[in-house]
């Protein structure tokens, strides 16, 4: 069963479980702090420029967006966490609905956590990572914006991220650029492997 990634469409925005798609398709979700590059990564994986909205102002995505890919799986774009200019109250309500999705959604098969390759993981990133570990679901860590660091810095940046998140050799850490599409094939391979899908 091959996957036609050109047959991808935005399906629905949800703020509560009753608005999630009614379906048994497997879901891959993308989490990370606001502005880390989640929507850009979804677009680059799907060869699209603007399927997932890339916000001009960070912290604006306050809904969970579901993208249907060839009627075989969903990509789920979660709101970014940790945007400083957003009030505590709003941050708490986001955390709540991110949590609701992650904990309740049985079709969720893979979590892709994004961190910015240029920076050490924040306290929010560490909390999110601990949370993911406690869920015992397959997950990958992607280090975004690889094009923004010089080649010689990539290895040390990855080593720092791995150390700060306590990753070991069995945890996948994939450097990625939505601009140059480096890392794209490897990420697709991992996603398909995890979902038992072919090409
Ligand atoms: N150079 C470079 N810029 C990137 C890359 N990925 C994302 N960006 C830029 O980073 C900014 C944020 O990207 P988004 O994809 O909107 O980030 P997001 O995580 O979806 O943000 P929220 O929806 O606010 O949570 C945009 O200006 C993007 O163009 C990348 O790989 N390389
Ligand atoms: Mg976004």
């Amino acid at each position: 069963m091959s996957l036609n990634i050109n047959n991808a469409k935005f399906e629905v925005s949800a703020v509560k479980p009753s608005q999630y798609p009614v379906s048994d398709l497997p879901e891959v979700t993308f989490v990370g702090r606001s502005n880390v590059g989640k929507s850009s990564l979804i677009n680059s994986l799907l060869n699209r420029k603007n399927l997932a909205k890339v916000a001009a102002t960070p912290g604006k995505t306050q809904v969970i967006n579901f993208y249907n890919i060839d009627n075989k799986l969903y990509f789920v774009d979660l709101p970014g966490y940790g945007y400083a200019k957003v009030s505590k109250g709003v941050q708490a309500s986001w955390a709540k609905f991110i949590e609701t999705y992650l904990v309740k959604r049985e079709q969720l098969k893979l979590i892709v956590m994004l961190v910015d390759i240029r920076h050490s993981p924040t306290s929010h990133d560490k909390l999110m990572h601990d949370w993911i570990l406690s869920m015992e679901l397959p997950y990958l860590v992607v280090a975004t914006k690889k094009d923004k660091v010089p080649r010689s810095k990539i290895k040390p940046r990855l080593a720092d991220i791995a150390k700060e998140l306590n990753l070991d050799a069995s945890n996948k850490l994939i450097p990625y650029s939505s601009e140059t599409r480096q890392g794209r094939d490897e990420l697709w391979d991992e996603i398909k492997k995890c979902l038992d899908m072919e090409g």
Side-chain angles (χ1 to χ4, degrees):
M1 187 176 73
S2 74
L3 183 68
N4 176 10
I5 59 165
N6 296 318
N7 182 24
K9 63 175 204 291
F10 166 72
E11 189 162 309
V12 73
S13 293
V15 294
K16 54 184 182 207
S18 62
Q19 298 166 330
Y20 299 167
V22 178
S23 135
D24 296 325
L25 296 179
E27 294 180 1
V28 177
T29 194
F30 299 85
V31 302
R33 67 180 178 73
S34 185
N35 212 38
V36 71
K38 295 176 296 298
S39 303
S40 304
L41 179 137
I42 290 174
N43 286 329
S44 74
L45 283 175
L46 298 174
N47 292 331
R48 297 280 284 267
K49 281 219 150 55
N50 250 319
L51 186 65
K53 296 275 172 297
V54 174
T57 22
K60 288 288 182 209
T61 317
Q62 301 185 27
V63 294
I64 301 177
N65 289 316
F66 291 81
Y67 300 92
N68 179 318
I69 302 160
D70 203 24
N71 293 316
K72 296 198 175 75
L73 73 141
Y74 284 98
F75 276 179
V76 181
D77 192 3
L78 289 179
Y81 50 78
Y83 186 56
K85 288 190 183 154
V86 166
S87 74
K88 284 257 158 35
V90 172
Q91 291 215 21
S93 72
W94 287 2
K96 189 78 208 148
F97 76 66
I98 293 173
E99 178 182 14
T100 301
Y101 172 79
L102 291 175
V103 171
K104 292 206 175 148
R105 193 62 166 167
E106 285 186 11
Q107 300 91 313
L108 177 57
K109 300 295 179 228
L110 172 65
I111 301 172
V112 182
M113 178 177 170
L114 281 62
V115 294
D116 188 320
I117 197 167
R118 296 170 297 173
H119 309 299
S120 290
T122 64
S123 57
H124 286 110
D125 290 326
K126 290 181 182 176
L127 274 175
M128 176 53 81
H129 185 251
D130 287 345
W131 207 6
I132 292 171
L133 286 178
S134 73
M135 294 181 39
E136 299 183 333
L137 270 178
Y139 78 99
L140 307 165
V141 181
V142 168
T144 63
K145 309 194 185 184
K146 181 187 180 193
D147 57 287
K148 294 214 179 202
V149 297
R151 266 217 194 151
S152 63
K153 293 276 160 55
I154 289 171
K155 263 200 176 165
R157 289 304 316 131
L158 293 175
D160 170 66
I161 291 165
K163 176 170 156 274
E164 292 295 319
L165 293 179
N166 281 319
L167 303 179
D168 62 42
S170 68
N171 298 121
K172 279 275 168 197
L173 173 59
I174 303 174
Y176 196 96
S177 168
S178 297
E179 294 277 310
T180 67
R181 301 169 29 120
Q182 285 178 80
R184 184 177 177 277
D185 290 348
E186 186 182 357
L187 181 52
W188 260 125
D189 285 349
E190 289 300 327
I191 291 171
K192 287 176 181 167
K193 207 194 302 174
C194 182
L195 300 181
D196 268 329
M197 280 182 171
E198 293 161 28

